[in-house]
């Protein structure tokens, strides 16, 4: 082997894997991104910019060696299947989904394209993975806590309104796989208080749900995060004030002056972390061989504006344990 041949042979050990990827593929890597809620300013910061930040840290620059095609259903669940099909026609190298509904639509849309599902509750229960450690199919991702985090929100609600005789949960059945019947039995046993379910798939259900809560004597409400509650969070915050209903939510961007608190996984951290999984797939690892990760960063936010408006004194223990207090 002459000197030139020896130098060429050494290139794979000297050149960055990202540069090698660009040389082998011969084009920019293409990512499709599917989400149900509108990508407004808060979600742009928490989701889009966090994802881009994570990718930049790994050497991926949009327009240089990667492109991202974003598709949002603007809060309309029925638009998701057509948007998934639209993304598939662009022939991306992989698909990223945000939140459970988009992941479930992607599951129906493809069995072969690699998918990184971010902020899903339980990928095994949702049918996205055989196990967390060995997903086995075309999905991997970063999971949020499902029933465990709802249990914690109920505990926070109990601390905020210790005299409540009944608690309620407002949720979208389209976004909760398997329903809540079974876990509610355990939560009731743990907290020693009845818990009532209230379903809402659109804002048309809000007035009826709050009227039912009043009839049922609900003294505190946990609102589960989904596109419906996010898109119409201002209206729901107003209803909480009008009905004088203390509430705990699933994300700090849902707190608009009428919601008392939020306890949720750190969304920006999860989307930054998802860039690592994208990187592995683009370098050739099969998604089924990449373990689903579990969010390990949780955030408690207390909104004292709502507490004052509702005449509630937030226990000092909660204020001291909060990651952020909105004054």
């Amino acid at each position: 082997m002459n000197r030139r041949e020896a130098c060429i042979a050494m290139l794979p050990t000297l050149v960055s894997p990202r540069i090698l990827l660009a040389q082998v593929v011969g084009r920019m890597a293409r990512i499709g991104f599917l989400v149900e809620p509108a990508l407004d300013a808060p979600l742009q910061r928490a989701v889009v910019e966090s994802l881009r930040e994570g990718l930049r840290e790994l050497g991926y620059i949009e327009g240089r060696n990667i492109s991202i095609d974003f598709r949002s259903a603007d809060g309309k669940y029925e638009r998701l299947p057509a948007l998934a099909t639209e993304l598939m026609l662009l022939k991306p190298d992989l698909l990223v989904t945000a939140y459970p509904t988009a992941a479930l639509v992607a599951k129906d849309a493809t069995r072969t394209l690699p998918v990184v599902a971010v902020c899903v509750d339980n990928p095994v229960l949702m049918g996205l993975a055989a196990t967390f450690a060995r997903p086995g199919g075309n999905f991997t991702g970063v999971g949020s806590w499902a029933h465990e985090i709802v249990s914690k929100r109920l505990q926070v609600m109990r601390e905020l309104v210790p005299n409540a005789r009944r608690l309620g949960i407002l949720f979208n059945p389209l976004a909760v796989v398997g329903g809540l019947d079974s876990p509610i039995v355990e939560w009731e046993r743990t907290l020693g208080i009845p818990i009532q379910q209230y379903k809402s798939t659109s804002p048309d259900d809000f007035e009826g749900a709050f009227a039912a809560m009043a009839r049922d004597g609900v003294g505190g409400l946990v609102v589960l995060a989904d596109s419906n509650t996010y898109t119409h969070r201002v209206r729901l915050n107003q209803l909480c004030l009008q009905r004088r209903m203390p509430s705990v939510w699933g994300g700090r961007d849902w707190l608009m002056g009428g919601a008392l608190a939020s306890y949720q996984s750190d969304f920006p951290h999860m989307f930054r972390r998802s860039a690592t999984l994208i990187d592995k797939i683009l370098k050739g690892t099969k998604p089924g061989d990449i373990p689903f990760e579990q969010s390990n960063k949780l955030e408690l936010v207390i909104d004292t504006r709502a507490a004052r408006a509702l005449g509630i004194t937030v226990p000092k223990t909660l204020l001291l344990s909060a990651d952020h207090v909105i004054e």
Side-chain angles (χ1 to χ4, degrees):
M1 181 183 293
N2 61 35
R3 184 175 180 180
R4 181 181 178 185
E5 290 171 334
C7 289
I8 292 174
M10 290 175 62
L11 278 176
T13 64
L14 298 175
V15 180
S16 162
R18 289 180 288 277
I19 296 175
L20 283 175
L21 175 66
Q23 290 174 342
V24 172
V25 176
R27 59 177 175 79
M28 287 194 295
R30 187 165 199 168
I31 294 175
F33 187 100
L34 183 65
V35 61
E36 183 182 351
L39 289 173
D40 57 9
L43 281 189
Q44 284 283 346
R45 290 192 299 270
V47 174
V48 176
E49 291 309 316
S50 297
L51 175 64
R52 284 173 168 155
E53 179 183 337
L55 288 169
R56 283 194 297 268
E57 290 173 355
L58 295 170
Y60 295 100
I61 308 298
E62 283 183 87
R64 184 183 301 172
N65 58 1
I66 197 169
S67 66
I68 308 176
D69 299 295
F70 291 94
R71 294 293 185 275
S72 163
D74 293 323
K76 298 178 175 61
Y77 173 81
E78 64 275 10
R79 292 187 57 202
L80 280 174
L83 292 174
T85 300
E86 186 177 315
L87 284 171
M88 295 291 292
L89 291 174
L90 297 176
K91 299 187 182 303
D93 295 288
L94 62 87
L95 184 65
V96 177
T97 64
Y99 311 118
T101 50
L104 289 171
V105 168
K107 175 190 169 190
D108 292 334
T110 178
R111 292 290 191 272
T112 55
L113 182 69
V115 181
V116 176
V118 190
C119 295
V120 291
D121 296 331
N122 186 321
V124 177
L125 184 62
M126 293 172 67
L128 307 180
T131 66
F132 274 83
R134 297 283 294 180
N138 62 317
F139 273 79
T140 186
V142 185
S144 179
W145 295 95
H147 296 157
E148 300 89 348
I149 205 167
V150 178
S151 176
K152 178 61 178 178
R153 290 180 199 143
L154 288 164
Q155 291 173 29
V156 171
M157 189 76 266
R158 196 81 167 99
E159 291 184 57
L160 288 166
V161 286
N163 296 323
R165 293 176 300 169
R166 184 184 300 271
L167 299 180
I169 298 178
L170 181 69
F171 74 103
N172 184 347
L174 295 175
V176 178
V177 177
L180 295 176
D181 291 347
S182 179
I184 279 182
V185 173
E186 178 62 30
W187 298 333
E188 288 179 330
R189 184 162 47 244
T190 300
L191 295 175
I193 188 173
I195 300 170
Q196 187 71 36
Q197 303 178 52
Y198 301 92
K199 298 178 182 180
S200 172
T201 59
S202 78
D204 296 336
D205 301 324
F206 293 163
E207 293 287 351
F210 274 83
M213 291 177 212
R215 290 194 302 269
D216 295 339
V218 170
L221 177 67
V222 168
V223 182
L224 300 194
D226 76 290
S227 180
N228 179 43
T229 56
Y230 180 78
T231 301
H232 305 287
R233 62 194 184 279
V234 173
R235 178 60 182 145
L236 280 171
N237 272 252
Q238 291 171 344
L239 280 169
C240 285
L241 286 177
Q242 292 169 7
R243 299 281 186 166
R244 302 194 66 77
M245 177 65 70
S247 57
V248 176
W249 296 55
R252 64 178 299 169
D253 290 325
W254 275 256
L255 308 184
M256 310 294 292
L260 264 178
S262 164
Y263 190 77
Q264 181 57 280
S265 301
D266 186 325
F267 289 154
H269 176 76
M270 295 173 73
F271 281 94
R272 283 193 298 271
R273 182 61 194 166
S274 70
T276 302
L277 308 181
I278 293 170
D279 180 51
K280 290 180 179 179
I281 292 171
L282 291 179
K283 288 177 178 175
T285 305
K286 295 179 181 179
D289 295 333
I290 303 174
F292 254 93
E293 297 188 5
Q294 192 82 353
S295 171
N296 58 8
K297 190 175 181 183
L298 300 171
E299 183 181 60
L300 173 63
V301 181
I302 304 292
D303 192 337
T304 58
R305 300 170 302 177
R308 289 192 296 270
L310 294 169
I312 289 177
T313 300
V314 180
K316 288 185 179 180
T317 52
L318 275 182
L319 289 172
L320 290 173
S321 61
D323 298 278
H324 188 70
V325 176
I326 301 174
E327 302 289 351

